Amino acid sequence: MVHHLLESSAETAPGFAAMGSQRGGRLAQQLREFWGDGIAGGAGELVIIADAIDRLLVPTLDELLLDLPAPAGDPASFRLRSESPGDRAVFIERLSALQRDDDLRRRYARLLLEIWRPMKREWETKGLPQVLADCRRVAHQLELGRPLPDVVPAYTHVSRKRSEWGSLVTQAWEDGDLILCPGYFGGSWSLWDFPRHVVIGFNGNPDPMVEVRTTAERLAPRLRTLGDPTRLSILLYISKRPTSVGELAQRFGLAQPTVSAHLRGLRTAGLVVGVRSGGRTVYQVEEGRLTQLFQDLTRAWGLDPTA
């Protein structure tokens, strides 16, 4: 993201003032032209190297750039599934060049250090403390049981951008290979599939309206299902006793197709399940999903559901 500040006109971005006269100047041009492969600016290969050598979470770039090692492993084997085929090929070529050419790697590290130098104080005094605080906040919310999409709305944005990205992140989350990375120097979200981890980068202090809308969109379908008085009455009734469609129709004075339609809505919302019993289907509340709905609503109000 520091590269983008070099050419940014967004004066409210963190680090904008610290970048000073470098914006749009010599270093921006050097970074654009360093590789000469048609990929504009950036230094994605650096974070790929950091993950490959298990130094992705070092707190400052100095630790990495002062003695930048060669990429570990065969770059051609790196997954990089978050990249287009063309960009993946470019990254593999860059990484291979850095692996075989020590002088190229030293020049690359010197250029990035020169770009980083004016940002270092901003990072150490403001950025790093804020990111660490964001990490503690995210970890605490996850420990309380809040769903990942609520804690990190970028998860939803990634999934909507491309379905295969959503599957990639979900699998990494289940495997324990997902890193949630609050950012400081701009950017609302990013996704990287590295050799060892999948990383979601996100704004640690997002627009509250984005978080509110994301939560509302996730809760609204279930709340709409309960917005019909008859459907809610049916849910309350079967919460105390498993009941068949015929019995519900008789008790509520409704036609069976009408009852079936209400039950279909409740099943779609995951609040009711049908179970075969004695040659007929009886419906009962899906207690876990109903409890989850109440907990989600409690968290949405900013309350602790365990209190």
Side-chain angles (χ1 to χ4, degrees), residues 137 146 149-151 153 157 188 203-217 300:
R137 173 180 58 80
R146 287 194 66 189
D150 282 2
V151 178
H157 302 324
S188 57
N203 187 338
N205 292 283
D207 182 343
M209 285 304 300
V210 173
E211 184 174 2
V212 166
R213 290 184 183 277
T214 300
T215 301
E217 288 173 3

Side-chain angles (χ1 to χ4, degrees), residues 150-164:
D150 282 2
V151 178
V152 182
Y155 175 91
T156 301
H157 302 324
V158 165
S159 300
R160 288 179 178 172
K161 185 73 173 180
R162 291 187 185 176
S163 59
E164 61 269 28

Side-chain angles (χ1 to χ4, degrees), residues 243-259:
T243 314
S244 68
V245 172
E247 291 169 348
L248 286 169
Q250 182 179 9
R251 295 293 294 178
F252 283 85
L254 299 170
Q256 288 197 18
T258 301
V259 172

Side-chain angles (χ1 to χ4, degrees), residues 144-208:
L144 290 177
R146 287 194 66 189
L148 180 60
D150 282 2
V151 178
V152 182
Y155 175 91
T156 301
H157 302 324
V158 165
S159 300
R160 288 179 178 172
K161 185 73 173 180
R162 291 187 185 176
S163 59
E164 61 269 28
W165 286 356
S167 300
L168 177 67
V169 171
T170 299
Q171 188 62 55
W173 175 251
E174 293 174 353
D175 294 343
D177 294 331
L178 180 66
I179 292 178
L180 303 174
C181 183
Y184 179 72
F185 291 113
S188 57
W189 65 269
S190 62
L191 173 68
W192 286 93
D193 178 36
F194 290 138
R196 299 164 61 95
H197 301 94
V198 172
V199 177
I200 290 184
F202 58 96
N203 187 338
N205 292 283
D207 182 343

Side-chain angles (χ1 to χ4, degrees), residues 31-215:
L31 187 57
R32 285 196 302 269
E33 296 179 349
F34 184 84
W35 293 106
D37 53 21
I39 301 298
E45 57 282 344
L46 178 65
V47 283
I48 297 172
I49 293 173
D51 184 73
I53 63 174
D54 200 23
R55 294 176 67 183
L56 185 62
L57 301 181
V58 295
T60 175
L61 279 178
D62 297 62
E63 294 184 34
L64 189 61
L65 292 174
L66 287 174
D67 184 22
L68 181 64
D74 178 9
S77 69
F78 294 170
R79 301 171 306 194
L80 307 182
R81 292 166 292 181
S82 56
E83 309 308 305
S84 69
D87 286 356
R88 181 179 184 276
V90 167
F91 278 128
I92 289 174
E93 178 55 36
R94 289 182 179 185
L95 292 164
S96 299
L98 290 170
Q99 193 173 59
R100 64 176 177 261
D101 190 332
D102 293 343
D103 180 64
L104 178 72
R105 194 166 65 252
R106 284 191 290 268
R107 288 190 288 112
Y108 175 73
R110 283 198 300 269
L111 175 59
L112 295 185
L113 275 172
E114 191 174 356
I115 293 171
W116 174 247
R117 190 172 297 117
M119 312 298 294
K120 181 178 177 180
R121 179 171 175 77
E122 173 93 12
W123 169 250
E124 291 178 345
T125 60
K126 298 180 181 179
L128 181 57
Q130 177 179 305
V131 166
L132 292 176
D134 290 335
C135 287
R136 289 190 292 269
R137 173 180 58 80
V138 168
H140 178 64
Q141 291 176 343
L142 291 173
E143 288 169 358
L144 290 177
R146 287 194 66 189
L148 180 60
D150 282 2
V151 178
V152 182
Y155 175 91
T156 301
H157 302 324
V158 165
S159 300
R160 288 179 178 172
K161 185 73 173 180
R162 291 187 185 176
S163 59
E164 61 269 28
W165 286 356
S167 300
L168 177 67
V169 171
T170 299
Q171 188 62 55
W173 175 251
E174 293 174 353
D175 294 343
D177 294 331
L178 180 66
I179 292 178
L180 303 174
C181 183
Y184 179 72
F185 291 113
S188 57
W189 65 269
S190 62
L191 173 68
W192 286 93
D193 178 36
F194 290 138
R196 299 164 61 95
H197 301 94
V198 172
V199 177
I200 290 184
F202 58 96
N203 187 338
N205 292 283
D207 182 343
M209 285 304 300
V210 173
E211 184 174 2
V212 166
R213 290 184 183 277
T214 300
T215 301

